[in-house]
Amino acid sequence: MSLQPVNADQQYVALQARVGGSISDLAAPDAAAEPAKSGIDEKVDNDPEPADIEAAPERIAGQPELQEIDADDVLLDGRRRPGIQKELPDRIIQNNPGAISAPPPEAFPTDEFPVPDRWRILQSLCPAKGGDESIYTLFGALRNNCHSTLNPYNQNVLKGDKPIPADKKPGFLKGDDWFFVVNAISDTVIEPRSFPIPVGVQTTERSNSLDVFGRSGSEVYAQTFITGFALIKGSTAYKPPDVEYRLTLATQVNHVNVPERRVLFVEPSKSSHRTDWFVGVQEAFFDYHIRNTSSRYDFDSFRIGIQPMQADFRGFLFQDNQLGFRLFGTRDNNRVQYNLGAFVQLEKDTNSGLNDIFQTPRESYIFFANLYRQDLPFVGLTSQFSLTYNMNRERSDVEIDDNGFPIRPALLGDLRGRAYDVVYPGYAFDGRIGRINLSGQVYGAFGEDRNSFFTSEPANIAAYFGALEASYDVDFLRFRASGLFASGDGNPYNNTEAGFDAIFENPIFAGADTSYWIRQTIPFAGGGRAVSLNGRNGILNSLRSSKEQGQSNFNNPGTILAGVGVDADLTPDFRISANANHLWFHKTESLEALRVEGSIPKDIGWDLSIAGIYRPKATQNIVFRLSGAALLPGKGFKDLFDLTDSRDFHYSILLNAIVAF
């Protein structure tokens, strides 16, 4: 459609259609009326007087005659039109001789003004210490940003909440996004306990003591100070750090008192109590951010040095700080995570369990690969697929611990050195389905033991492990049910070792270290020297000399556990947790062969525990825990240890206080 100029007749018709009448109806009929004058100096009266309205009733109020006014010449009050300048009032000149003149424009060479970095904008308003605090009356919330640097409950530069100030940053650190982090933790443990303690062959603390097992009560006191330092580059709130250097030291002082000799020291002449201390390097690594792979900060990074490594959600197979290399990253908006790593096990201090970097690392190597996928197979559930390989080459190694006890090889069977290769394929899941929280793990252990201590011949390894914990929340209560199965070796003299054992377990399961069986070590007296039925902070009946310094043993009786528990958050800062677990051996043939017994029942007994956890500030900075546990021995435990003992139970009490900065 072409555009045609609109003539006067078309304007007339359009206007008539809008008003429903003729144009002449809008004009004043009085021919004698004086036409309006044109010009910008004349005032157009849009508000006629009442007398004018009465004199011309047929005229629309306030409407000028359309035929006699030029709209381009009209200026309405309160309106502005380009090209037309209205008269302005006279300029007001302020004369204030005492005032300070504003700086000239050349005093501001740019359009931007320097301000403190965004982390310290509010802090720059804080009054000096002991100075005028009247600003708090105007900005009350400012007080929350004005505090001591040593206060861990507020932002400060020592916790990495704010970058290092420019005037305190070393010259070799380039950029303004370097953070310095200091961690300080005090961990105090007071632990009275009881367990079967064998009487020394050569001597005893009690004269005329002829029993195989003596008094069972003992105490442990341990104070650990953990100090960590980290130097981090990058905005860690939104993306992984670009570079991280971290060093963490742990210093422990411990004291142990037992009622029998040759428990703490191999020499019978030494006393039955011991005080020791050690400083271990728990972290010392370099972390480098290789690249981002998406706009949501999916990434690839690598880390080299002494670092934490956890093979699964609950620490069943391997959970420790060890020396190694790890390549890790995420994909698909962090819904896919992967890890590839290689580690060599460090020697541990015997009495503290901390890393001893002054000893040559062990000939035990760990290679692992795992993949996490969120919302698989159900929304809310995360699946983990893993493959772990433990290559042990310590066949010719003879290791004596700090107390004089042989630990490699363990004093079992033919006492020959061992080397083995074990592959652990695994699948784990953790999350929820609806209102049911689920966490589970399945492992297989397959490989070869170069020397079975029962047959002195090579043996195949084929063992299995499974664990499941389900919980359901009702208001402030969480009800839990737990089950665990680790296969045992039913024929120690064949060419297959079927007892499942981990590399370095630290399970968070069925009450964790509140549980008696997980917390305490039961010595396997009468079947092996310096060997324990289970390990401290471990759930498996592995018959190892030491979890920290010994080797995995696949000739073991296995473990079965079934339990229930409840967590009650009575207040935001106080929780009570209770657990009841029943334990069995899966197979007892290996125990019977080592003890030279015809039969040993499988029932270990009931493990009952309760713990109270108090966090005064409702944070993890101050945590107090008091727990008590009791083992009610079953027929199998009594057969192994307590036939000569009249006690009805063994106990474990744990008082733990953690203060963190």
Side-chain angles (χ1 to χ4, degrees), residues 435-451:
R435 292 188 60 183
I436 300 176
N437 307 301
L438 292 173
S439 183
Q441 179 70 58
V442 177
Y443 276 121
F446 307 100
E448 182 183 17
D449 188 347
R450 300 290 193 277
N451 177 61

Side-chain angles (χ1 to χ4, degrees), residues 390 392-395 409 412 414 416-423 445-462 489 492 494-499 501 551-556:
N390 184 199
N392 187 285
R393 295 294 181 268
E394 296 176 311
R395 185 169 186 171
L412 290 170
D414 64 4
R416 294 174 58 189
R418 297 173 55 238
Y420 49 85
D421 294 276
V422 188
V423 176
F446 307 100
E448 182 183 17
D449 188 347
R450 300 290 193 277
N451 177 61
S452 171
F453 60 77
F454 277 108
T455 65
S456 300
E457 297 290 338
N460 296 324
I461 298 171
D489 191 3
N494 64 4
N495 63 350
T496 300
E497 299 177 359
D501 196 8
Q551 295 174 292
S552 298
N553 174 24
F554 301 94
N555 281 306
N556 66 64

Side-chain angles (χ1 to χ4, degrees), residues 5-19 21 23 66:
V6 179
N7 56 32
D9 294 338
Q10 291 174 325
Q11 292 180 332
Y12 176 87
V13 174
L15 185 58
Q16 185 179 15
R18 288 199 299 270
V19 300
I23 294 296
L66 299 179

